[in-house]
Amino acid sequence: MAKKVILDCDPGIDDAMALCLALLDPRLDVLAVTAVGGNVAPAQATRNVQAIIEQIDPPRWPRLGAASAPDNGLPVDGRNLHGNDGLGGADFNVAELHHLHPSEKVICDQVRAAPPGSVSVVALGPLTNIARAFQRDPELPGLIGDLTIMGGTVTSPGNITPAAEFNIYCDPAAAKAVFRSPSTKTLIPLDVTNRIILTFDLLNHLPDRSTKVGNILHRILPPAFRGYRQQFGLEGIHVHDTVSLMAVLYPELFTIEEMAGDVETMGELTMGMTVFDRRRVPAWRRNLGVAKYLREREVIDAIRRGIREAAERAG
Ligand code: BDR
Ligand code: CA
């Protein structure tokens, strides 16, 4: 039976790629896609979610949720890498902007409508919606099957400040609340997502532009390659969110260690940093699984295969 999932995302090029793969994977039953502000402002994130889903037009449309701003606003955005519209300037049409429920309500409703423990959540952006859903329905953490979070770092440097990873930095208070919640969590930090680099040759092996998935990727990926080259001198791109989706689809390719983690919400230099009690005798309770290693070659192969198969399925 397909795994029921809710995808919470802030598209974002790597979010969009993850969305394409997830919506067309027969092992997943995507109940809802909920937008969150992060790479782009909330309204644009909502629009991008709709745009990607309209482009793909999956056999069964998921529920959609609208993003709203974090309580303290968004401190940064990701437009330097993801383009002004978050999708590399692809400027996809959106046929009709639906009136959508807020993302946190959609998450609560979908989890409540299914048997306890049967819905997994995959969080690919700031944790604003997840924290709000937990606040709205305090029993929710225990009703979710598992929560996979792309975010944070263990020993690696951050990517938005020296200490912080982007998703956690965007809404540290929400991340702290989610880390401390009694939910079953797996964190996919930069330490492992940075190990995956998709090289330029991917562009020569994308599905044809005449396919739905090919069309999306041909439009969003070249600007990402340009951005990574200009900003980091890197001849390839990271796709943190797609790697995190692979952790859901292929857990056997990841080594997960139970750790005790929390989030810094106040530090002048460390706001948004994820902190783990790695002392010889830890005093904090272990509260989440953290991906420590991944099988690089196999994860890259799985992503490339996922792209091919998604294109075949969507037509
Ligand atoms: C995360 O930040 C965003 O820019 C990406 O979409 C990803 O979710 C990586 O730090
Ligand atoms: Ca993201």
Side-chain angles (χ1 to χ4, degrees):
M1 207 175 60
K3 187 180 172 86
K4 294 185 199 310
V5 293
I6 298 172
L7 297 177
D8 187 72
C9 57
D10 60 332
I13 291 172
D14 56 340
D15 301 80
M17 184 192 267
L19 211 46
C20 290
L21 269 54
L23 286 168
L24 293 157
D25 194 306
R27 291 165 293 177
L28 298 180
D29 177 9
V30 182
L31 301 178
V33 182
T34 51
V36 62
N39 285 320
V40 285
Q44 182 73 48
T46 306
R47 188 187 166 86
N48 290 353
V49 162
Q50 279 194 51
I52 298 291
I53 293 174
E54 278 183 12
Q55 292 288 318
I56 294 181
D57 191 18
R60 201 164 78 83
W61 272 48
R63 290 287 161 83
L64 306 185
S68 39
D71 295 345
N72 297 320
L74 272 176
V76 282
D77 62 46
R79 289 181 298 170
N80 59 330
L81 260 191
H82 297 265
N84 272 343
D85 67 348
L87 296 175
D91 202 20
F92 293 112
N93 279 336
V94 174
E96 184 198 345
L97 278 172
H98 302 278
H99 176 71
L100 302 175
H101 288 302
S103 290
E104 62 268 25
K105 174 172 166 37
V106 174
I107 295 170
C108 292
D109 290 351
Q110 291 296 313
V111 173
R112 280 284 180 184
S118 66
V119 178
S120 299
V121 178
V122 186
L124 303 176
L127 290 166
T128 314
N129 294 338
I130 315 296
R132 285 189 181 152
F134 288 177
Q135 209 171 23
R136 189 183 171 108
D137 183 346
E139 289 178 5
L140 211 71
L143 296 174
I144 285 175
D146 53 74
L147 169 61
T148 301
I149 300 166
M150 189 288 123
T153 74
V154 180
T155 59
S156 292
N159 62 356
I160 187 69
T161 72
E165 181 276 333
F166 181 88
N167 287 340
I168 306 293
Y169 184 80
C170 280
D171 195 344
K176 188 182 200 76
V178 173
F179 272 43
R180 292 184 170 193
S181 70
S183 52
T184 306
K185 301 171 276 294
T186 306
L187 191 74
I188 315 296
L190 285 182
D191 310 60
V192 292
T193 60
N194 270 339
R195 302 197 66 86
I196 300 298
I197 296 180
L198 301 182
T199 47
F200 267 108
D201 69 301
L202 175 73
L203 294 179
N204 299 326
H205 294 97
L206 287 179
D208 195 80
R209 281 174 196 272
S210 61
T211 63
K212 291 171 184 163
V213 171
N215 177 46
I216 295 173
L217 297 181
H218 276 286
R219 287 169 74 175
I220 67 175
L221 288 183
F225 278 99
R226 279 197 295 278
Y228 270 86
R229 177 188 268 166
Q230 280 162 7
Q231 290 183 42
F232 307 121
L234 207 61
E235 295 297 330
I237 57 169
H238 292 305
V239 285
H240 309 280
D241 296 337
T242 315
V243 174
S244 303
L245 179 71
M246 293 302 116
V248 176
L249 288 169
Y250 302 95
E252 68 280 9
L253 301 183
F254 292 74
T255 304
I256 308 292
E257 186 185 330
E258 290 301 314
M259 297 185 80
D262 209 339
V263 177
E264 173 59 75
T265 55
M266 290 187 304
E268 185 191 349
L269 300 175
T270 53
M271 190 177 78
M273 180 181 181
T274 43
V275 180
F276 295 87
D277 190 350
R278 296 186 292 139
R279 287 173 286 183
R280 192 178 293 277
V281 183
W284 298 358
R285 197 180 52 79
R286 293 193 176 109
N287 58 340
L288 73 176
V290 181
K292 216 169 168 195
Y293 305 106
L294 46 62
R295 306 224 296 254
E296 291 164 31
R297 191 63 259 165
E298 285 156 273
V299 170
I300 291 175
D301 288 348
I303 293 173
R304 296 180 84 132
R305 193 171 58 244
I307 292 173
R308 247 190 346 264
E309 291 177 357
E312 282 162 17
R313 288 198 189 96

